[in-house]
Amino acid sequence: MSQPIEMIIAGATGLVGKSTLEAALQCEKITHVYSLSRRPITIKAAKLTQWLDEKLDIPSFINPPKFPIVAVIALGTTIKKAGSKKQLHAIDVELVIKVAKDMLTLGVEHIIVISCLGASPKGVSHYLRCKGEMEMRLQQLTFKTITFLQPGPLAGPRDDPRMDERVLQCVMQVISPCMLGSLQNYKPIDATDVAKVIIHLATEQLDIEKKQVKRLTSSQMQSLIS
């Protein structure tokens, strides 16, 4: 029988974070979920503890965790929302690394981070370069397992849907059947499917002898849960 786990989710008010929280609360293998966010979530559950903090500081455990902890970081923004390249970097890189370090001090061994397709320190855009820098710096931390999820366009209901995203999703629905091979990574992937992947990864039994760093694209994620 697999060992129960606890989960921390940073960014549970976002599209992927919320879907992951809902899936985690339904998963019997996950005994408790800690949600770290700036604003409260409306979901109520006996095995849910909300940590609310403007700076996303994680409170210290009073007692050591009973089970292994898996952490999920679903934090991110856009230049339009952030207001500047500097602010985008502050959230997508500095904040993610800061939260990851806090999670490490709690005993987290496996961390799952939402990145994006094309993330690279030498990416063609500031956004991709920020994601690439975040991945590079996070790899330098001493987690036993790091999994970067690199989806293409994300589909699903957002709290603040933007017109450009709605138009893009409509266009992608039309052309998706024609996208084959490596182009499949650019097909929209539903946030609920990403959440299923996260739960699968969080509850799999790992036999770790050395540090592992994994990256999964949309097509690889779909294969994992199909």
Side-chain angles (χ1 to χ4, degrees):
M1 183 176 179
S2 59
Q3 187 178 20
I5 63 170
E6 298 182 349
M7 177 179 281
I8 304 172
I9 303 174
T13 57
L15 180 61
V16 173
K18 184 178 180 181
S19 293
T20 302
L21 174 62
E22 292 171 346
L25 292 175
Q26 296 295 320
C27 180
E28 295 182 356
K29 294 180 181 179
I30 298 175
T31 61
H32 203 86
V33 183
Y34 300 90
S35 166
L36 177 65
S37 60
R38 293 190 178 93
R39 52 191 173 90
I41 53 180
T42 57
I43 299 172
K44 304 291 183 181
K47 68 176 187 178
L48 172 64
T49 297
Q50 292 195 50
W51 291 336
L52 300 176
D53 189 89
E54 186 61 31
K55 296 181 179 180
L56 294 187
D57 288 335
I58 298 177
S60 299
F61 278 108
I62 297 175
N63 297 311
K66 296 179 181 179
F67 305 111
I69 309 174
V70 175
V72 178
I73 297 183
L75 300 171
T77 187
T78 62
I79 289 183
K80 185 175 181 179
K81 285 184 178 180
S84 68
K85 290 183 176 180
K86 182 179 179 180
Q87 282 300 108
L88 175 70
H89 186 274
I91 295 171
D92 279 30
V93 181
E94 301 301 338
L95 181 59
V96 170
I97 298 302
K98 176 258 181 194
V99 170
K101 288 180 177 178
D102 288 348
M103 290 174 167
L104 190 60
T105 64
L106 295 180
V108 171
E109 295 186 345
H110 184 186
I111 188 167
I112 302 168
V113 184
I114 306 301
S115 183
C116 72
L117 185 65
S120 169
K122 298 181 180 180
V124 296
S125 70
H126 179 71
Y127 178 79
L128 293 179
R129 290 192 294 273
C130 283
K131 293 297 187 184
E133 180 185 344
M134 176 272 292
E135 290 191 11
M136 180 181 65
R137 289 175 57 182
L138 203 148
Q139 284 181 234
Q140 296 171 359
L141 302 181
T142 57
F143 294 101
K144 288 187 177 180
T145 301
I146 303 172
T147 304
F148 295 111
L149 301 185
Q150 299 181 325
L154 289 167
R158 298 179 183 269
D159 291 337
D160 55 345
R162 302 195 304 270
M163 179 58 70
D164 56 346
E165 288 181 335
R166 290 199 294 264
V167 171
L168 177 61
Q169 288 192 20
C170 290
V171 172
M172 294 302 291
Q173 286 178 359
V174 174
I175 67 175
S176 283
C178 302
M179 302 175 75
L180 303 174
S182 61
L183 291 178
Q184 293 182 62
N185 289 322
Y186 294 89
K187 290 183 179 180
I189 181 170
D190 200 279
T192 56
D193 285 338
V194 178
K196 290 176 184 177
V197 171
I198 291 173
I199 299 303
H200 174 88
L201 294 170
T203 56
E204 68 178 346
Q205 296 300 296
L206 299 175
D207 183 13
I208 303 171
E209 294 184 359
K210 61 180 180 179
K211 182 174 180 177
Q212 296 184 13
V213 178
K214 299 183 287 186
R215 289 176 171 82
L216 297 176
T217 61
S218 290
S219 60
Q220 291 170 324
M221 284 188 269
Q222 293 286 15
S223 297
L224 198 63
I225 59 175
S226 61

